[in-house]
């Protein structure tokens, strides 16, 4: 706990002592070693899906806790290979990406079709692999922002993956097509026994309104989470909320005054708890994004995000650039610092 308190700095007392009252802890389905039996087994998932979810839970430093630490490296497409790997060129080789996940004690590694396929026979039995099915390629000019399928679910199954992932840009003009594509892909994945992970991101220029970025508003990201759970995502990946009231301030959609008065507050854990509430009160596991690398502050920011996620009722953290854009030993140390939060029994549900 001492390292966590040190890294949280002036926020330590506030983040570690907060109690959620809008959506109380006793109303959610929290993560835990028995999550598959207690929660997932109540649904319609096939036995192979339950087995593969348990395989995710049983790997790495967090094995047996019900929490997940995942290394995602699809940024070579999403942000360009140069932008992603120039800070540490060894990660142009996908083998080094997987080695970082293994040495860093991660539950799983998520990456692209070509990246995982190039090393699948070497690593599929050593660490659970998650194939990211679609991407926003950044070579088009002028730039476009759309998620396009790069891979098929059957390819993930054939190379030995335990899960597939996909992104939907909710709020974008292309989102209806993406919803249909991902819905069909996730149904096929569950038929084959694969776990499904949805990057439930928002994308609309209007969501940046009067100087505030509502792409990270609790009410809007919460609804994106709810749509993800409706699409039968077993795990929902979402950015940590930084503000609220996107519906009200932008002036669209449907909401309720209780969202902003009774169910949430300005506290970051309350905002994240609202994200969990929209994941069927935790039946779909919420993992938050670690965000981009900023340098010396990365480890403190990652630990802060982990504390907020865990205390809100989330299932873990997915952290990529903060880990792989550093020297290997520093990347491992950052991943371990995140995992230490989930291993610390004194960091409890708020």
């Amino acid at each position: 706990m001492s390292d966590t308190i040190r890294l949280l700095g002036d926020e330590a007392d506030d983040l570690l002592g907060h109690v959620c009252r809008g959506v109380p802890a006793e109303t959610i389905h929290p993560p835990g070693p028995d999550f598959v039996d207690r929660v997932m087994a109540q649904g319609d998932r096939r036995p192979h899906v339950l087995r593969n979810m348990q395989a995710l839970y049983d790997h790495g430093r967090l094995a047996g806790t019900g929490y997940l630490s995942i290394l995602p490296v699809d940024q070579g497409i999403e942000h360009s290979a140069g932008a992603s790997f120039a800070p540490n060129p060894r990660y142009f080789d996908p083998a080094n990406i997987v080695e970082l996940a293994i040495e860093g004690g991660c539950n799983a590694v998520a990456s692209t079709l070509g990246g995982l396929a190039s090393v699948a026979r070497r690593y599929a039995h050593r660490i659970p692999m998650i194939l990211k099915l679609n991407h926003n390629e950044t070579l088009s000019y002028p730039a476009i922002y759309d998620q396009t399928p790069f891979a098929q679910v059957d390819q993930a199954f054939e190379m030995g993956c335990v899960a597939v992932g996909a992104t939907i840009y909710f709020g974008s003009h292309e989102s209806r097509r993406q919803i249909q594509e991902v819905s069909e892909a996730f149904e096929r994945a569950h038929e084959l026994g694969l776990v499904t992970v949805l990057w439930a991101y928002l994308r609309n220029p209007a969501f940046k309104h009067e100087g505030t970025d509502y792409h990270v508003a609790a009410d809007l990201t919460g609804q994106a989470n709810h749509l993800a759970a409706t699409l039968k995502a077993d795990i929902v990946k979402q950015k940590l909320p930084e503000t609220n009231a996107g519906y009200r301030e932008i002036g669209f959609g449907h909401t309720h005054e209780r969202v902003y008065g009774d169910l949430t507050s300005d506290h970051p854990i309350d905002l994240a708890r609202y994200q969990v509430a929209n994941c069927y009160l935790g039946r779909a596991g919420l993992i938050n994004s670690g965000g981009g690398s900023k340098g010396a502050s990365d480890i403190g920011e990652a630990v802060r995000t982990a504390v907020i996620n865990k205390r809100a009722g989330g299932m873990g953290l997915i952290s990529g650039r903060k880990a792989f854009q550093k020297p290997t030993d520093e990347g491992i140390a950052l991943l371990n610092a995140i995992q230490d939060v989930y291993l610390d029994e004194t960091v409890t549900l708020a």
Side-chain angles (χ1 to χ4, degrees), residues 95-169:
N96 291 325
I97 292 169
V98 183
E99 287 289 344
L100 175 62
I102 293 172
E103 294 175 20
C106 293
N107 298 73
V109 59
S111 196
T112 64
L113 173 63
L116 292 180
S118 68
V119 295
R121 291 187 182 273
R122 180 177 179 183
Y123 290 111
H125 60 293
R126 295 180 57 192
I127 184 171
M129 300 192 310
I130 303 170
L131 175 61
K132 183 76 180 346
L133 297 172
N134 63 0
H135 302 284
N136 176 44
E137 62 86 14
T138 55
L139 197 56
S140 299
Y141 184 81
I144 59 173
Y145 299 97
D146 191 8
Q147 288 286 326
T148 304
F150 272 55
Q152 299 175 15
V153 174
D154 288 58
Q155 292 174 296
F157 177 78
E158 292 296 335
M159 75 170 71
C161 294
V162 304
V164 295
T167 297
I168 294 177
Y169 285 152

Side-chain angles (χ1 to χ4, degrees), residues 2-320:
S2 59
D3 284 345
T4 299
I5 292 174
R6 176 180 59 81
L7 290 167
L8 292 177
D10 293 341
E11 289 188 285
D13 289 342
D14 185 42
L15 292 178
L16 296 172
H18 181 73
V19 177
C20 290
R21 305 193 187 282
V23 182
E26 60 268 20
T27 66
I28 70 171
H29 304 280
D34 62 342
F35 188 83
V36 171
D37 287 331
R38 173 169 46 87
V39 179
M40 285 195 70
Q42 296 180 21
D44 69 347
R45 303 300 193 265
R46 298 187 179 202
H48 287 70
V49 178
L50 304 182
R51 182 194 64 191
N52 280 328
M53 178 65 91
Q54 194 63 52
L56 285 172
Y57 287 139
D58 287 345
H59 194 84
R61 291 186 72 227
L62 298 184
T65 65
Y67 291 102
L68 299 173
S69 168
I70 299 172
L71 177 71
V73 187
D74 62 349
Q75 292 88 348
I77 299 176
E78 299 283 342
H79 301 285
S80 92
S84 301
F85 304 133
N88 199 343
R90 70 190 304 269
Y91 291 116
F92 277 107
D93 185 344
N96 291 325
I97 292 169
V98 183
E99 287 289 344
L100 175 62
I102 293 172
E103 294 175 20
C106 293
N107 298 73
V109 59
S111 196
T112 64
L113 173 63
L116 292 180
S118 68
V119 295
R121 291 187 182 273
R122 180 177 179 183
Y123 290 111
H125 60 293
R126 295 180 57 192
I127 184 171
M129 300 192 310
I130 303 170
L131 175 61
K132 183 76 180 346
L133 297 172
N134 63 0
H135 302 284
N136 176 44
E137 62 86 14
T138 55
L139 197 56
S140 299
Y141 184 81
I144 59 173
Y145 299 97
D146 191 8
Q147 288 286 326
T148 304
F150 272 55
Q152 299 175 15
V153 174
D154 288 58
Q155 292 174 296
F157 177 78
E158 292 296 335
M159 75 170 71
C161 294
V162 304
V164 295
T167 297
I168 294 177
Y169 285 152
F170 291 110
S172 71
H173 290 297
E174 297 81 11
S175 63
R176 298 294 180 91
R177 191 205 77 246
Q178 294 167 14
I179 288 169
Q180 182 175 1
E181 291 171 348
V182 171
S183 176
E184 293 172 355
F186 279 12
E187 183 62 23
R188 178 57 177 161
H190 283 147
E191 287 176 356
L192 293 175
L194 302 180
V195 174
T196 56
V197 186
L198 186 62
W199 278 242
Y201 285 171
L202 300 176
R203 183 60 63 85
N204 190 314
F207 290 173
K208 291 186 177 181
H209 180 71
E210 296 184 353
T212 300
D213 187 358
Y214 291 102
H215 288 93
V216 286
D219 57 347
L220 301 187
T221 56
Q223 181 60 21
N225 289 359
H226 193 74
L227 294 173
T230 302
L231 288 166
K232 295 177 68 173
D234 300 310
I235 299 168
V236 179
K237 177 179 184 278
Q238 186 56 266
K239 296 180 180 180
L240 199 69
E242 298 176 13
T243 187
N244 205 356
Y247 278 123
R248 292 196 316 193
E249 297 301 319
I250 298 169
F252 81 110
H254 306 280
T255 188
H256 194 283
E257 61 183 16
R258 287 202 67 205
V259 172
Y260 314 106
D262 298 334
L263 301 183
T264 65
S265 74
D266 292 334
H267 198 283
I269 295 176
D270 285 340
L271 298 178
R273 174 64 58 83
Y274 187 70
Q275 288 186 339
V276 172
N278 278 276
C279 294
Y280 293 168
L281 284 169
R283 289 186 182 274
L286 171 68
I287 55 175
N288 285 120
S289 169
S293 177
K294 299 177 182 178
S297 65
D298 282 353
I299 191 165
E301 291 175 2
V303 166
R304 179 183 185 272
T305 302
V307 168
I308 293 170
N309 173 271
K310 184 181 182 183
R311 300 212 68 223
M315 193 169 279
L317 214 61
I318 188 164
S319 186

